[in-house]
Amino acid sequence: MEMAKATEQGREQRKVEHVSAVRTLGDNGASSTWFEDVTLLPNCAPELAWDEVSIETQLCGYTLPSPIVINAMTGGAEQVYDINRRLAAIARRFGLAMAVGSETAALRNREVAYTYQVVREQHKDGLVIANVGMGTKPEVARAAVDLIDAQLLQVHFNVAQELFMAEGDRDFRGALAGLSEVVQHVGVPVIAKEVGQGVAAEQARQFVEAGVKAIDVGGRGGTNFIAVEAWRRDMRLTDQWKSWGISTAATLCEVVDVAGESLDVIASGGMRGADEIVKAMALGASAVGIAGPLVRLLAEPDGDEAIARYLEELHWGMRALLVLTGARTWSELRRRPLVLGGRLKDWLEARGRESFLTSLRSRTARF
């Protein structure tokens, strides 16, 4: 009994430390997303009006007024309850989908369930996404969905984080088979999610075979959970580990190339400005996940309004860029020309993603 109690207390402390690390490190642990290697083609004669533009999108069969998803962050400790409460209120205000952090803590200790349930309480009619780890049993995944009355479920794949976590898992066998079982039995659409090191085309195919309805690429360039876990251990990181993974732009292109016709793709990992969001949508994303900037803004004296201003600026910027590219909708934008260069183009050529590059060239050839 005492050992179990100590384990739960350790898990709660880890949740608090994760938030502290994200706020302390900022983007210092992040590397480039490579979205600077993507250029949207300006249209100086767009022949459309601001009011014609729509940033509405579809995710796993649900219609959303914005492509922004408040991505998985926290829950599971009294100290982070207020973060989920305030973020859920922001999600309601802007009509955004919101994912909770890993629900393992609540499923093992019902005393902290309220730190997750507050999201549904605040966002009663919104799209709420449950979250469990790879290897979770179907009955546990179903309990996570039921806990917050979620419409979707994220199953996160975080091998690098686990390896750098002192108390993390060391055996990852059976995770794909487990994902397939969850898909078959959980009763809601499932999203396979990386947490910061990206999804390669090969694993995207495996996720498709497992039956998921979406992939959240979780690319390198945003919150670096290798750096977060190293911070918790007071461990010095080499440049090798700081840059481990696939940049967000590259992983997005890989996943869209092999899976974009069969499922939705969520771009996350360093999505900070409207330009990155619009570039991701132009490359084939259905939605974008943002987490780190929101938890940091929330710590400011006027945190709720700071986030509101940030989201308003993002939404204005998205609309402006659609006008400036001559696109009324995201589907129109995906038919507009754009240019890839630098490291991203080199990566895609080296990885044999010629089909993706050819599809981009065909967009230019139409005009």
Short mmCIF file of all heavy atoms in Angstrom, two decimals, residues 43-73:
data_model
loop_
_atom_site.label_atom_id
_atom_site.label_comp_id
_atom_site.label_asym_id
_atom_site.label_seq_id
_atom_site.Cartn_x
_atom_site.Cartn_y
_atom_site.Cartn_z
N ASN A 43 -0.39 36.08 -54.14
CA ASN A 43 -1.30 36.39 -55.24
C ASN A 43 -1.70 37.86 -55.09
O ASN A 43 -2.46 38.21 -54.19
CB ASN A 43 -2.54 35.49 -55.18
CG ASN A 43 -3.50 35.72 -56.33
OD1 ASN A 43 -3.47 36.77 -56.97
ND2 ASN A 43 -4.36 34.76 -56.57
N CYS A 44 -1.17 38.70 -55.95
CA CYS A 44 -1.42 40.14 -55.82
C CYS A 44 -2.78 40.55 -56.40
O CYS A 44 -3.20 41.70 -56.25
CB CYS A 44 -0.30 40.95 -56.49
SG CYS A 44 -0.23 40.76 -58.28
N ALA A 45 -3.48 39.61 -57.05
CA ALA A 45 -4.81 39.89 -57.59
C ALA A 45 -5.75 38.75 -57.20
O ALA A 45 -6.19 37.96 -58.04
CB ALA A 45 -4.76 40.04 -59.11
N PRO A 46 -6.07 38.63 -55.91
CA PRO A 46 -6.77 37.43 -55.43
C PRO A 46 -8.23 37.32 -55.83
O PRO A 46 -8.80 36.22 -55.78
CB PRO A 46 -6.64 37.54 -53.91
CG PRO A 46 -6.48 39.00 -53.66
CD PRO A 46 -5.69 39.53 -54.82
N GLU A 47 -8.89 38.43 -56.22
CA GLU A 47 -10.29 38.38 -56.64
C GLU A 47 -11.19 37.70 -55.60
O GLU A 47 -12.00 36.82 -55.94
CB GLU A 47 -10.42 37.68 -58.00
CG GLU A 47 -9.93 38.50 -59.18
CD GLU A 47 -10.78 39.76 -59.43
OE1 GLU A 47 -12.02 39.66 -59.32
OE2 GLU A 47 -10.19 40.82 -59.70
N LEU A 48 -11.03 38.08 -54.35
CA LEU A 48 -11.93 37.59 -53.31
C LEU A 48 -12.01 38.63 -52.20
O LEU A 48 -11.19 39.54 -52.12
CB LEU A 48 -11.49 36.23 -52.77
CG LEU A 48 -10.08 36.04 -52.17
CD1 LEU A 48 -10.03 36.52 -50.73
CD2 LEU A 48 -9.70 34.57 -52.21
N ALA A 49 -13.01 38.47 -51.34
CA ALA A 49 -13.22 39.40 -50.23
C ALA A 49 -12.92 38.70 -48.91
O ALA A 49 -13.04 37.47 -48.80
CB ALA A 49 -14.67 39.89 -50.23
N TRP A 50 -12.53 39.48 -47.93
CA TRP A 50 -12.21 38.96 -46.59
C TRP A 50 -13.35 38.09 -46.06
O TRP A 50 -13.12 37.03 -45.50
CB TRP A 50 -11.95 40.14 -45.66
CG TRP A 50 -11.64 39.78 -44.24
CD1 TRP A 50 -12.55 39.59 -43.23
CD2 TRP A 50 -10.35 39.55 -43.66
NE1 TRP A 50 -11.90 39.27 -42.05
CE2 TRP A 50 -10.55 39.24 -42.29
CE3 TRP A 50 -9.04 39.59 -44.17
CZ2 TRP A 50 -9.49 38.97 -41.42
CZ3 TRP A 50 -8.00 39.32 -43.29
CH2 TRP A 50 -8.22 39.01 -41.95
N ASP A 51 -14.58 38.53 -46.24
CA ASP A 51 -15.73 37.82 -45.69
C ASP A 51 -15.99 36.48 -46.39
O ASP A 51 -16.77 35.67 -45.88
CB ASP A 51 -16.98 38.69 -45.78
CG ASP A 51 -16.94 39.86 -44.82
OD1 ASP A 51 -16.14 39.81 -43.86
OD2 ASP A 51 -17.70 40.83 -45.02
N GLU A 52 -15.37 36.25 -47.54
CA GLU A 52 -15.53 34.97 -48.23
C GLU A 52 -14.64 33.89 -47.65
O GLU A 52 -14.85 32.70 -47.91
CB GLU A 52 -15.18 35.13 -49.72
CG GLU A 52 -16.13 35.98 -50.53
CD GLU A 52 -15.68 36.02 -51.98
OE1 GLU A 52 -14.84 36.88 -52.31
OE2 GLU A 52 -16.15 35.19 -52.77
N VAL A 53 -13.63 34.30 -46.90
CA VAL A 53 -12.63 33.34 -46.40
C VAL A 53 -13.17 32.56 -45.21
O VAL A 53 -13.77 33.12 -44.29
CB VAL A 53 -11.33 34.09 -46.01
CG1 VAL A 53 -10.40 33.17 -45.22
CG2 VAL A 53 -10.63 34.60 -47.26
N SER A 54 -12.94 31.24 -45.20
CA SER A 54 -13.32 30.39 -44.09
C SER A 54 -12.11 29.58 -43.62
O SER A 54 -11.38 29.01 -44.44
CB SER A 54 -14.43 29.42 -44.50
OG SER A 54 -14.65 28.44 -43.49
N ILE A 55 -11.90 29.55 -42.30
CA ILE A 55 -10.81 28.73 -41.75
C ILE A 55 -11.37 27.46 -41.10
O ILE A 55 -10.67 26.78 -40.36
CB ILE A 55 -9.94 29.52 -40.75
CG1 ILE A 55 -10.79 30.06 -39.59
CG2 ILE A 55 -9.21 30.66 -41.47
CD1 ILE A 55 -9.94 30.67 -38.47
N GLU A 56 -12.60 27.13 -41.41
CA GLU A 56 -13.23 25.91 -40.91
C GLU A 56 -12.50 24.69 -41.44
O GLU A 56 -11.97 24.69 -42.55
CB GLU A 56 -14.69 25.90 -41.37
CG GLU A 56 -15.55 24.82 -40.79
CD GLU A 56 -16.99 24.94 -41.26
OE1 GLU A 56 -17.33 24.35 -42.32
OE2 GLU A 56 -17.77 25.65 -40.60
N THR A 57 -12.48 23.63 -40.64
CA THR A 57 -11.81 22.41 -41.07
C THR A 57 -12.55 21.19 -40.55
O THR A 57 -13.47 21.30 -39.74
CB THR A 57 -10.34 22.39 -40.59
OG1 THR A 57 -9.63 21.35 -41.26
CG2 THR A 57 -10.24 22.17 -39.09
N GLN A 58 -12.14 20.01 -41.02
CA GLN A 58 -12.72 18.74 -40.60
C GLN A 58 -11.64 17.91 -39.92
O GLN A 58 -10.53 17.79 -40.43
CB GLN A 58 -13.27 17.97 -41.80
CG GLN A 58 -14.35 18.70 -42.58
CD GLN A 58 -15.70 18.60 -41.92
OE1 GLN A 58 -16.03 17.59 -41.30
NE2 GLN A 58 -16.49 19.65 -42.04
N LEU A 59 -11.99 17.30 -38.79
CA LEU A 59 -11.07 16.40 -38.10
C LEU A 59 -11.82 15.18 -37.62
O LEU A 59 -12.73 15.29 -36.78
CB LEU A 59 -10.39 17.12 -36.92
CG LEU A 59 -9.43 16.26 -36.09
CD1 LEU A 59 -8.24 15.79 -36.94
CD2 LEU A 59 -8.94 17.04 -34.86
N CYS A 60 -11.49 14.02 -38.17
CA CYS A 60 -12.11 12.75 -37.78
C CYS A 60 -13.63 12.82 -37.84
O CYS A 60 -14.34 12.29 -36.96
CB CYS A 60 -11.64 12.34 -36.39
SG CYS A 60 -9.88 11.98 -36.28
N GLY A 61 -14.14 13.53 -38.86
CA GLY A 61 -15.58 13.60 -39.05
C GLY A 61 -16.26 14.75 -38.33
O GLY A 61 -17.47 14.96 -38.50
N TYR A 62 -15.51 15.51 -37.54
CA TYR A 62 -16.08 16.64 -36.81
C TYR A 62 -15.69 17.94 -37.51
O TYR A 62 -14.54 18.12 -37.94
CB TYR A 62 -15.57 16.66 -35.37
CG TYR A 62 -16.13 15.53 -34.54
CD1 TYR A 62 -15.45 14.31 -34.45
CD2 TYR A 62 -17.32 15.68 -33.85
CE1 TYR A 62 -15.97 13.26 -33.70
CE2 TYR A 62 -17.85 14.62 -33.09
CZ TYR A 62 -17.16 13.43 -33.02
OH TYR A 62 -17.68 12.39 -32.29
N THR A 63 -16.65 18.85 -37.61
CA THR A 63 -16.41 20.16 -38.20
C THR A 63 -15.98 21.13 -37.11
O THR A 63 -16.64 21.25 -36.07
CB THR A 63 -17.67 20.70 -38.90
OG1 THR A 63 -18.05 19.78 -39.93
CG2 THR A 63 -17.41 22.06 -39.51
N LEU A 64 -14.86 21.82 -37.35
CA LEU A 64 -14.32 22.77 -36.38
C LEU A 64 -14.21 24.15 -37.00
O LEU A 64 -13.83 24.26 -38.17
CB LEU A 64 -12.93 22.31 -35.92
CG LEU A 64 -12.88 20.96 -35.19
CD1 LEU A 64 -11.43 20.51 -35.03
CD2 LEU A 64 -13.57 21.06 -33.84
N PRO A 65 -14.51 25.21 -36.24
CA PRO A 65 -14.42 26.57 -36.79
C PRO A 65 -12.99 27.05 -36.99
O PRO A 65 -12.76 28.05 -37.66
CB PRO A 65 -15.14 27.42 -35.74
CG PRO A 65 -14.98 26.67 -34.47
CD PRO A 65 -15.02 25.21 -34.86
N SER A 66 -12.03 26.33 -36.43
CA SER A 66 -10.61 26.70 -36.52
C SER A 66 -9.78 25.43 -36.58
O SER A 66 -10.14 24.42 -35.97
CB SER A 66 -10.19 27.52 -35.29
OG SER A 66 -8.78 27.59 -35.17
N PRO A 67 -8.65 25.46 -37.27
CA PRO A 67 -7.79 24.27 -37.30
C PRO A 67 -6.95 24.09 -36.04
O PRO A 67 -6.29 23.07 -35.89
CB PRO A 67 -6.89 24.54 -38.52
CG PRO A 67 -6.79 26.02 -38.59
CD PRO A 67 -8.15 26.53 -38.16
N ILE A 68 -6.98 25.06 -35.13
CA ILE A 68 -6.13 24.99 -33.93
C ILE A 68 -6.73 24.02 -32.92
O ILE A 68 -7.89 24.12 -32.54
CB ILE A 68 -5.96 26.37 -33.29
CG1 ILE A 68 -5.19 27.30 -34.24
CG2 ILE A 68 -5.23 26.26 -31.95
CD1 ILE A 68 -5.09 28.74 -33.75
N VAL A 69 -5.90 23.08 -32.47
CA VAL A 69 -6.23 22.17 -31.39
C VAL A 69 -5.35 22.52 -30.20
O VAL A 69 -4.12 22.61 -30.35
CB VAL A 69 -5.99 20.70 -31.79
CG1 VAL A 69 -6.24 19.76 -30.61
CG2 VAL A 69 -6.85 20.31 -32.98
N ILE A 70 -5.95 22.76 -29.04
CA ILE A 70 -5.15 22.91 -27.82
C ILE A 70 -4.68 21.51 -27.47
O ILE A 70 -5.46 20.66 -27.04
CB ILE A 70 -5.97 23.53 -26.68
CG1 ILE A 70 -6.41 24.95 -27.06
CG2 ILE A 70 -5.14 23.56 -25.39
CD1 ILE A 70 -7.22 25.65 -25.99
N ASN A 71 -3.40 21.27 -27.68
CA ASN A 71 -2.90 19.90 -27.64
C ASN A 71 -2.60 19.43 -26.23
O ASN A 71 -2.54 20.22 -25.28
CB ASN A 71 -1.66 19.76 -28.54
CG ASN A 71 -1.70 18.46 -29.33
OD1 ASN A 71 -2.48 17.54 -29.05
ND2 ASN A 71 -0.86 18.36 -30.34
N ALA A 72 -2.39 18.11 -26.10
CA ALA A 72 -2.23 17.46 -24.81
C ALA A 72 -1.12 18.10 -23.99
O ALA A 72 0.00 18.26 -24.47
CB ALA A 72 -1.93 15.97 -25.02
N MET A 73 -1.45 18.45 -22.76
CA MET A 73 -0.45 19.04 -21.87
C MET A 73 -0.41 18.39 -20.50
O MET A 73 0.60 17.86 -20.10
CB MET A 73 -0.69 20.55 -21.74
CG MET A 73 -0.07 21.37 -22.86
SD MET A 73 -0.33 23.12 -22.64
CE MET A 73 -1.86 23.34 -23.53
#
